[in-house]
Amino acid sequence: MFDLIHEIAQTLRNNRLRTMLTGLAVAWGIFMLILLLGAARGVLNSFNDNVDHVNTIRFYGGRTSIPYRGYKDGRYIELRGSDMEAMMRETPGVKSVIAYASVDTAKIFTERDYTGGFNAVYPEVAEFNKIKMKYGRFVNNRDISEGRRVVVLHEKNARILFGDDSSAVGKVVRSLNLAWTVVGVYTHEWLDASYVPFSTYKALTGNRDYAYMLEATVDGMKTIDDGNAVENSLRGSLAKIHTFSPNDNSAVWTWNRFTSYLTNAAALGYLDMAVWIIGLFTLLSGIVGVSNIMFVSVRERTHEIGIRRAIGAKPRAILAQIISEGVAITAIFGYIGVFLGMAILQVINAVQGNSDGFKNPTVDINIAIKVTIVLIIAGAIAGLFPALKAIKVKPVEALRDE
């Protein structure tokens, strides 16, 4: 074993410049492969970080495009909170349905200042939208059942209304000519709406019950066909309630987060595959270079190989040495490329690794293992053909070679 390592090291020293130039091609190929894999991982991490509650389907009111049962097309479909019960009853697997309403014209004000309107919601909205409470609490089930006049403010709006968001909880604001008690202040990256209980909104609007969106949470969906079947069933429930054709896609607009998730996940899988293909083709140029240098090395050592064969060296020993030299060149310079690639990814991660579309663009141990396997296979392939040529040389002809 030590003799083999010594022979490999001696061969590399005797061809330093040639080995360095060939090795740079290998290092560059691996470097680009690591960068591409890291970039793909950053996109994938960002995608996975934003796919909570993928088993939900959202419905928005639209306008009919098909005449149905005496009704003309162009009729506006107004969803209502009361639709929730029928949707849950008629479609198996529906865990819950919640309604959203918005009153943009209802200003919230204090003696100090005012802010925009409010959204009427259910408690589940806090979990769905990753709302983090800074002070107090969010709308709860008791607020819904008792129709309480309470409001939850974004920290920015709380500062506008009171000057200090930390003192907002427990204070009173006014909206729709009524007093509302602030029960919580929250923080969020992009949401800044004020929230009140849906039941309170319903009572204040004379049980109009209008909802600009209904969101259903469904268990048991595993395939795109499952997601489409549940969506069609829920659409059918709304079609019966509001008397429009179940085939009229314009009457109710939908966002099926489950089918969208599966479609996007498949696309990212193809992206990962494409990255590997591009990286491997980039690495191929380095493999060809290593193979060429091994062919030259075999040609220069034909006399040496003849002597070894004449004194009893077996073909598999010659084969093992040549292949090992190819693996050594590929591995040494390949790991240089791996190190540089991972270092660059760490810098990128430190600069913008937490952006919305690009999170933690680094490679993990699984990718490192895969790259190691690629290096070993690439090195073996690079040395295989020169090695096969070497063992085909007859000892007598090799000894005559000058």
Side-chain angles (χ1 to χ4, degrees):
M1 182 64 180
F2 290 105
D3 291 339
L4 179 61
I5 295 175
H6 177 72
E7 289 176 0
I8 293 173
Q10 185 176 4
T11 301
L12 298 181
R13 284 196 301 268
N14 292 339
N15 302 279
R16 292 179 181 176
L17 180 60
R18 192 164 57 201
T19 302
M20 285 292 295
L21 293 176
T22 304
L24 286 176
V26 175
W28 176 255
I30 289 293
F31 174 76
M32 291 303 299
L33 177 60
I34 291 294
L35 284 187
L36 290 172
L37 289 174
R41 183 63 56 179
V43 174
L44 182 60
N45 288 339
S46 176
F47 172 72
N48 289 330
D49 194 56
N50 292 282
V51 293
D52 290 341
H53 306 289
V54 296
N55 60 332
T56 59
I57 305 175
R58 292 182 173 181
F59 296 85
Y60 302 86
R63 290 189 179 276
T64 59
S65 61
I66 301 174
Y68 187 73
R69 292 187 178 180
Y71 290 98
K72 296 182 179 180
D73 57 345
R75 179 167 52 95
Y76 179 69
I77 301 301
E78 185 179 87
L79 301 180
R80 296 187 293 268
S82 57
D83 298 341
M84 298 187 296
E85 182 179 351
M87 295 172 71
M88 293 183 62
R89 182 180 64 251
E90 297 177 5
T91 302
V94 176
K95 182 180 179 181
S96 66
V97 180
I98 58 175
Y100 296 73
S102 178
V103 186
D104 296 331
T105 57
K107 302 300 182 182
I108 299 174
F109 60 93
T110 62
E111 293 181 355
R112 177 186 177 89
D113 211 333
Y114 71 94
T115 65
F118 58 76
N119 288 344
V121 296
Y122 284 81
E124 292 85 351
V125 168
E127 181 184 357
F128 284 176
N129 293 315
K130 297 182 179 180
I131 291 176
K132 297 179 180 179
M133 298 307 302
K134 190 173 181 180
Y135 305 105
R137 62 172 177 82
F138 197 72
V139 172
N140 60 28
N141 290 323
R142 193 167 180 180
D143 296 330
I144 297 293
S145 62
E146 297 181 5
R148 293 173 171 175
R149 289 201 302 272
V150 296
V151 61
V152 178
L153 302 174
H154 184 267
E155 56 182 348
K156 179 189 69 175
N157 292 333
R159 286 192 291 268
I160 292 174
L161 295 172
F162 300 105
D164 181 11
D165 57 0
S166 64
S167 62
V169 175
K171 292 187 176 179
V172 175
V173 298
R174 296 193 66 83
S175 183
L176 299 176
N177 296 320
L178 296 170
W180 302 72
T181 302
V182 178
V183 294
V185 175
Y186 74 93
T187 180
H188 197 275
E189 293 181 0
W190 50 273
L191 289 175
D192 62 357
S194 301
Y195 296 103
V196 304
F198 190 90
S199 59
T200 308
Y201 149 80
K202 180 179 176 180
L204 293 176
T205 55
N207 290 321
R208 179 166 173 255
D209 202 22
Y210 165 74
Y212 79 87
M213 180 181 72
L214 298 173
E215 184 170 38
T217 302
V218 186
D219 291 335
M221 294 186 294
K222 296 180 180 180
T223 65
I224 289 181
D225 289 340
D226 292 340
N228 289 332
V230 172
E231 179 183 335
N232 291 334
S233 177
L234 291 170
R235 179 188 292 274
S237 297
L238 293 173
K240 286 193 294 185
I241 296 170
H242 297 279
T243 318
F244 65 86
S245 172
N247 299 320
D248 189 351
N249 293 329
S250 297
V252 173
W253 297 94
T254 62
W255 178 27
N256 193 327
R257 298 184 68 182
F258 180 75
T259 56
S260 297
Y261 167 76
L262 292 183
T263 302
N264 292 334
L268 289 174
Y270 290 127
L271 171 64
D272 192 53
M273 184 186 301
V275 165
W276 273 101
I277 292 173
I278 294 171
L280 291 176
F281 272 105
T282 305
L283 180 61
L284 182 62
S285 61
I287 296 174
V288 171
V290 173
S291 185
N292 287 336
I293 192 177
M294 297 309 301
F295 272 116
V296 174
S297 176
V298 168
R299 181 69 185 86
E300 292 177 347
R301 295 156 60 192
T302 301
H303 193 71
E304 172 195 334
I305 292 172
I307 295 174
R308 294 184 62 184
R309 292 288 304 277
I311 62 178
K314 295 182 178 180
R316 68 170 177 265
I318 305 297
L319 189 69
Q321 180 182 349
I322 303 300
I323 291 178
S324 298
E325 290 176 8
V327 171
I329 294 173
T330 306
I332 292 171
F333 288 95
Y335 278 115
I336 292 175
V338 170
F339 174 78
L340 292 176
M342 294 182 71
I344 294 297
L345 287 177
Q346 290 295 334
V347 173
I348 295 174
N349 185 42
V351 174
Q352 59 176 20
N354 290 319
S355 61
D356 289 338
F358 201 65
K359 293 190 176 182
N360 191 24
T362 56
V363 295
D364 55 24
I365 186 64
N366 292 328
I367 293 180
I369 292 173
K370 291 177 182 178
V371 171
T372 301
I373 294 173
V374 169
L375 287 175
I376 295 173
I377 294 175
I381 293 174
L384 178 62
F385 296 104
L388 292 175
K389 180 180 179 181
I391 63 175
K392 289 179 181 178
V393 178
K394 296 181 179 179
V396 175
E397 296 177 357
L399 290 171
R400 289 175 181 173
D401 187 80
E402 294 295 336

